Amino acid sequence: MVDADQPMCDLVAYVDGGSLGNPGPSGIGVVIVSVSSNIAHSAIASPASEGKVRIAKWIGNQDNNVAEYVALLEALQYARQSKATALHVYSDSEVVVKQMKGEYACRSARLYSLNWICRKLARSLSFSISHLRREDNAEANALANSAVRERRG
């Protein structure tokens, strides 16, 4: 749990969601770094985490784009819970980044709903999102893959 008396300033999140099959067993990976001097201490961050919060979650059977949005949603919820004032997200999903920026329309009802929720949460922060290459998002990708592997056992 984040200490409510210690407000955060700015966060940077690397998010990834993935599924084995499309749809198929899915997981999300999120890496959150504080760019202020106050590092969040939470139940999901281990003492050896070097100031990073790492989240890996199984999200059931989903398609890849839903998994990508759920990863973004997780970062947004963490930012709100930790009282962050700003969040910059890096995602390797061109679809999510362009839909969040309003450059692509959401044609799927499921993605439209997730996009709407994410945009609503993002309005409470100074929010920005950027695309990055998959190979530059390796830590979040590894977390998403580990969530799926652990669940499949």
Side-chain angles (χ1 to χ4, degrees):
M1 194 75 182
V2 175
D3 182 357
D5 295 329
Q6 186 179 33
M8 298 282 297
C9 292
D10 298 328
L11 299 175
V12 173
Y14 295 83
V15 301
D16 196 28
S19 62
L20 298 176
N22 202 18
S26 301
I28 62 166
V30 180
V31 178
I32 300 173
V33 181
S34 172
V35 292
S36 71
S37 59
N38 297 328
I39 301 296
H41 296 288
S42 92
I44 34 186
S46 68
S49 67
E50 303 161 1
K52 292 181 184 178
V53 174
R54 293 176 178 90
I55 302 167
K57 284 188 180 176
W58 162 261
I59 60 167
N61 288 324
Q62 306 294 338
D63 68 42
N64 194 61
N65 287 331
V66 168
E68 296 281 3
Y69 262 110
V70 173
L72 172 59
L73 181 59
E74 187 75 24
L76 285 162
Q77 289 173 328
Y78 181 89
R80 290 273 316 258
Q81 176 189 9
S82 63
K83 297 181 176 25
T85 56
L87 174 66
H88 184 79
V89 173
Y90 290 101
S91 171
D92 60 24
S93 171
E94 186 174 350
V95 169
V96 169
V97 170
K98 291 201 175 208
Q99 286 179 342
M100 286 298 293
K101 289 181 169 186
E103 296 171 16
Y104 283 179
C106 293
R107 301 197 198 299
S108 153
R110 183 89 189 266
L111 292 186
Y112 180 86
S113 175
L114 287 165
N115 177 271
W116 187 89
I117 293 166
C118 288
R119 289 171 73 91
K120 182 175 169 99
L121 287 171
R123 282 194 295 271
S124 67
L125 301 159
S126 174
F127 176 80
S128 55
I129 188 167
S130 300
H131 182 261
L132 81 163
R133 297 179 319 192
R134 181 163 298 158
E135 56 269 19
D136 295 329
N137 203 21
E139 189 173 7
N141 181 269
L143 288 166
N145 289 336
S146 72
V148 173
R149 278 194 312 273
E150 286 178 23
R151 178 64 181 214
R152 288 177 56 120

